[in-house]
Amino acid sequence: YLAKWLGWSEEETLLAGKAGFLHDIGKCRIPDTILAKPGKLTDEEFDEVRKHTVYGHEIIAASGGDPSVAAAALQHHERSNGSGYPSGLAGDRIHPMARVVAVADVYSAMISSRVYQEKQDLLAVLKEMHRLSFKELDPQMTQTFIRHMLPNFIGKKAELANGEVGVVVMNHPTDLFRPLIRIGERYVDTSSDPSCEIKQIIL
C-alpha cells in the first residue's frame, strides 16, 4: 500500500509487497531460544539477531530473487541518520525498497503484541512514527504513510486531555494530530486550543 501511495509503478509495488513478505526471512537462521526469549537479550544475543539482515540477503540472493528485494532484507534496519545496522548507512545510501519496508516494519512492530512489549494504540504509533520521520525513517515515505492512515480516525470517539469525549469529524491538513472534534452539539478545533489535545482514540 505504501509503495502505491508513493506513486510507484505496479511492478515496483508488487516487488515492495514481496520485499515486505520476505524481509525477515533471515530469522530462520536465528535460534528460537533467542527469538522467543521473554527477557532482555544479552549483547551477544542481540548481535546474533542483527545478523538476520545479512542472512536474509544471502537467502534471497542465492534463490535468484530480485536485487531490490534482497537489498530490503539487508538494509531494512538501516536508519536515515546512520544509526541503523548492519552497515550504518544514511539517507539516500539506503535502497528505496529498504526505506519503504522500514516504515511498514516499524509500524507493524509497534501495533503488534510481542513477548517483550505490549501493542500500542494507533494514535500513539503514528505520533511516534511522525517523531521518527525527522531522524530515523525516510521523511517523505513516513509522512505519506501517516497521512493515509489518519482517515481511519474519522468517526471514531476521541478522549481529550481535559477529559471530554467527542467524535473525530475532520483531519487538519497540516497539524496532523489536531483534528476537528464534535462534542455534543459543538465543534472543537483542537489545533487552536492546546488544552484539547487528543489523549486517546476509543475504538
Side-chain angles (χ1 to χ4, degrees), residues 122-123 126 147-158 166-173 176 178-182 198 201-203:
L122 183 56
L123 177 65
L126 295 182
R147 289 183 184 280
H148 280 82
M149 294 299 289
L150 285 175
N152 289 308
F153 293 138
I154 295 176
K156 300 288 194 306
K157 288 184 178 180
V167 175
V168 178
V169 175
M170 184 173 66
N171 290 315
H172 195 283
L176 300 180
R178 296 280 189 165
L180 182 68
I181 303 286
R182 187 183 73 245
I198 294 178
I201 299 293
I202 304 171
L203 300 178

Side-chain angles (χ1 to χ4, degrees), residues 36-156:
K37 184 178 178 179
K40 184 178 180 180
L41 297 179
T42 65
D43 290 343
E44 293 76 16
E45 289 170 335
F46 187 61
D47 285 342
E48 183 61 27
V49 169
R50 285 159 59 115
K51 291 178 184 176
H52 81 276
T53 55
V54 176
Y55 297 153
H57 180 267
E58 291 175 354
I59 293 168
I60 294 170
S63 341
D66 188 278
S68 65
V69 175
L74 180 64
Q75 299 177 5
H76 68 277
H77 282 290
E78 301 286 2
R79 294 295 179 256
S80 295
N81 60 1
S83 65
Y85 64 87
S87 302
L89 302 179
D92 291 340
R93 293 185 64 200
I94 305 170
H95 195 288
M97 193 69 76
R99 282 182 268 151
V100 162
V101 170
V103 173
D105 188 42
V106 168
Y107 170 75
S108 177
M110 287 196 286
I111 63 165
S112 302
S113 293
R114 305 287 178 93
V115 292
Y116 49 83
Q117 75 172 27
E118 293 291 328
K119 69 177 181 180
Q120 303 178 53
D121 69 83
L122 183 56
L123 177 65
V125 167
L126 295 182
K127 282 185 174 182
E128 176 62 11
M129 293 185 70
H130 183 262
R131 185 186 70 81
L132 292 174
S133 74
F134 292 98
K135 54 180 182 178
E136 295 185 27
L137 298 176
D138 182 285
Q140 181 203 4
M141 293 178 177
T142 309
Q143 297 287 337
T144 297
F145 180 80
I146 292 171
R147 289 183 184 280
H148 280 82
M149 294 299 289
L150 285 175
N152 289 308
F153 293 138
I154 295 176
K156 300 288 194 306

Side-chain angles (χ1 to χ4, degrees), residues 160-164 178 188 190 192-199:
L160 305 184
N162 62 11
E164 291 187 290
R178 296 280 189 165
V188 177
T190 60
S192 62
D193 187 347
S195 68
C196 291
E197 182 179 4
I198 294 178
K199 181 179 179 181

